[in-house]
Amino acid sequence: MRKYGVLVVDDSAFMRRAVGLLIERDPALYVAGIARNGVEALDKLERLSPDVITMDVAMPVMDGLQALEKIMRERPVPVVMLSSQTGAGTKSTIRALELGAVDFFLKESLVADAPDEEALRDFHTRLKIAATAKVAGGAPAAGPAVVAGPTVHTAPEKASAASRGVTKSGAPAYDLLVIGCSTGGPSALQAILPHIPEDYPAAVLVVQHMPPGFTGALAERFNTICKLRVKEAEEGDPLRAGTIYFAPSGFQTTARKLADGRVVLHVDEEPDMLYRPSVNVTLRSVAPVYRNRMLAVVLTGMGQDGLEGCRRVKANGGLVLTEAEQSCVVYGMPKAVYEAGLADAQAELPAMFSSIMAFL
């Protein structure tokens, strides 16, 4: 059995011991070393060559964000941040994901008197997934704009008009873009959302797997770097071009068409599934509303969430684009869709934005 070495970085001796003991409850993981701050982490990284790092944020000498930035720039290794759910904690976590952290885990879930067994299994799974993930610095060069899938609907004449956001007929080819992602998603979204032009003719709905409390901070962050307005979706929000909506974590986001023709979002705790938000739930809802007027994009992430939703999109005449394996942090969600023959095309991340525009 392959075993993965973990470097535990935290300024608290209690946390280093507690996290270390929890890590070694999985026979596939072992503590390769410990560090009290970012400077020690960089030194131990060179000497111990761990497979994955758990990183605290608030530390003396060099904090977790500073250390992460240097690691991603100088010697990329998968990093899982141990985060708090406070306002400052969520913002630091979002920044860490932007800098290249593969994933994060709530510290509160690990320091309970008796950690929940399900939470512990999730922690172990995330560490093992991260240990095998691709990280910044090793990303491939941009390939061709679109890599053909089972069928390709991208027409060169439409692609040439994409910069204007319309087809040659003057009407956009789709009215809704749904992007689904999980592990590695926040970083991947940076290669897409800030490039969307102000006159983009479709509404954008992002379904990113995250624990409750984090999608709001993620939406706020993207609102500062995007040309379009970005917000966390709320009950009754009308789906309008010019706005990027993030499905709120802890809830399911669906859509319904009103008698006057407007499409509004419905945010609810049901159905209670493994993922809230779930890409499948959202796509199954919007597919019969938008039919052949929507594009679903599935980016990096573990698992198969999005597979059944994309099946519904295709059954209703919509389009599906997946991220290619070469650029995925974790090639799980897009792989399931692509291997099921549901992708109209696939693209590596550096070419994803141009591929999205090429479908207009």
Side-chain angles (χ1 to χ4, degrees):
M1 177 180 64
R2 171 72 193 275
K3 298 193 71 171
Y4 302 104
V6 186
L7 175 62
V8 178
V9 186
D10 199 297
D11 65 327
S12 163
F14 167 78
M15 281 302 300
R16 291 195 300 272
R17 176 171 172 75
V19 172
L21 288 173
L22 292 174
I23 287 171
E24 295 198 330
R25 285 174 62 176
D26 189 310
L29 300 167
Y30 69 95
V31 176
I34 59 173
R36 296 173 296 177
N37 55 57
V39 172
E40 284 191 9
L42 291 165
D43 176 62
K44 296 286 180 74
L45 175 59
E46 288 296 327
R47 294 195 285 115
L48 302 175
S49 297
D51 297 294
V52 62
I53 299 171
T54 65
M55 182 81 73
D56 187 27
V57 175
M59 297 181 292
V61 186
M62 179 186 289
D63 67 28
L65 294 180
Q66 293 170 320
L68 174 65
E69 191 167 14
K70 287 183 70 68
I71 289 169
M72 291 299 107
R73 186 174 62 246
E74 298 174 6
R75 195 181 186 282
V77 170
V79 175
V80 174
M81 303 301 294
L82 295 186
S83 309
S84 65
Q85 212 165 5
T86 64
T90 56
K91 290 181 179 178
S92 295
T93 300
I94 298 305
R95 181 59 183 149
L97 294 172
E98 288 182 337
L99 291 172
V102 170
D103 206 347
F104 70 98
F105 198 83
L106 293 178
K107 187 180 286 190
E108 294 92 330
S109 300
L110 298 175
V111 295
D113 291 337
D116 180 80
E117 286 300 318
E118 184 176 343
L120 186 56
R121 283 194 299 272
D122 186 31
F123 179 54
H124 291 153
T125 298
R126 288 175 182 272
L127 287 180
K128 288 181 283 190
I129 290 287
T132 59
K134 298 173 186 173
V135 292
V146 177
V147 181
T151 57
V152 181
H153 293 285
T154 308
E157 64 271 16
K158 289 186 178 180
S160 65
S163 61
R164 298 195 303 274
V166 295
T167 63
K168 283 190 171 183
S169 66
Y174 55 85
D175 299 315
L176 177 67
L177 167 65
V178 179
I179 301 176
C181 44
S182 186
T183 310
S187 179
L189 290 169
Q190 288 186 89
I192 301 169
L193 300 185
H195 299 289
I196 298 178
E198 292 179 3
D199 60 350
Y200 187 66
V204 182
L205 179 55
V206 178
V207 185
Q208 163 72 55
H209 294 165
M210 275 188 155
F214 284 86
T215 45
L218 186 62
E220 288 177 10
R221 172 58 183 159
F222 273 106
N223 194 47
T224 67
I225 61 175
C226 289
K227 301 178 182 70
L228 301 183
R229 178 192 181 211
V230 184
K231 70 183 299 290
E232 188 176 47
E234 299 176 84
E235 174 67 25
D237 273 346
L239 273 171
R240 292 174 176 158
T243 302
I244 299 170
Y245 306 85
F246 272 78
S249 51
F251 299 88
Q252 301 293 6
T253 299
T254 57
R256 65 181 185 274
K257 193 170 187 176
L258 303 181
D260 61 7
R262 290 182 302 136
V263 180
V264 298
L265 293 174
H266 177 53
V267 177
D268 194 8
E269 293 182 345
E270 297 297 329
D272 187 1
M273 301 171 63
L274 175 62
Y275 300 114
R276 289 197 299 181
S278 163
V279 183
N280 279 334
V281 169
T282 297
L283 288 179
R284 284 199 297 257
S285 167
V286 298
V289 174
Y290 284 89
R291 300 186 65 80
N292 65 341
R293 305 287 301 167
M294 71 165 292
L295 170 63
V297 175
V298 181
L299 303 177
T300 175
M302 61 182 175
Q304 295 190 339
D305 188 29
L307 173 59
E308 294 308 316
C310 286
R311 204 180 301 280
R312 185 72 61 86
V313 170
K314 295 303 300 176
N316 282 274
L319 296 165
V320 173
L321 173 63
T322 58
E323 184 178 352
E325 180 178 6
Q326 293 88 333
S327 63
C328 281
V329 172
V330 178
Y331 189 51
M333 289 165 55
K335 177 183 180 181
V337 174
Y338 184 76
E339 292 190 347
L342 300 172
D344 295 285
Q346 63 172 335
E348 294 181 30
L349 187 59
M352 185 59 71
F353 169 68
S354 61
S355 300
I356 289 170
M357 297 300 289
F359 277 103
L360 284 171

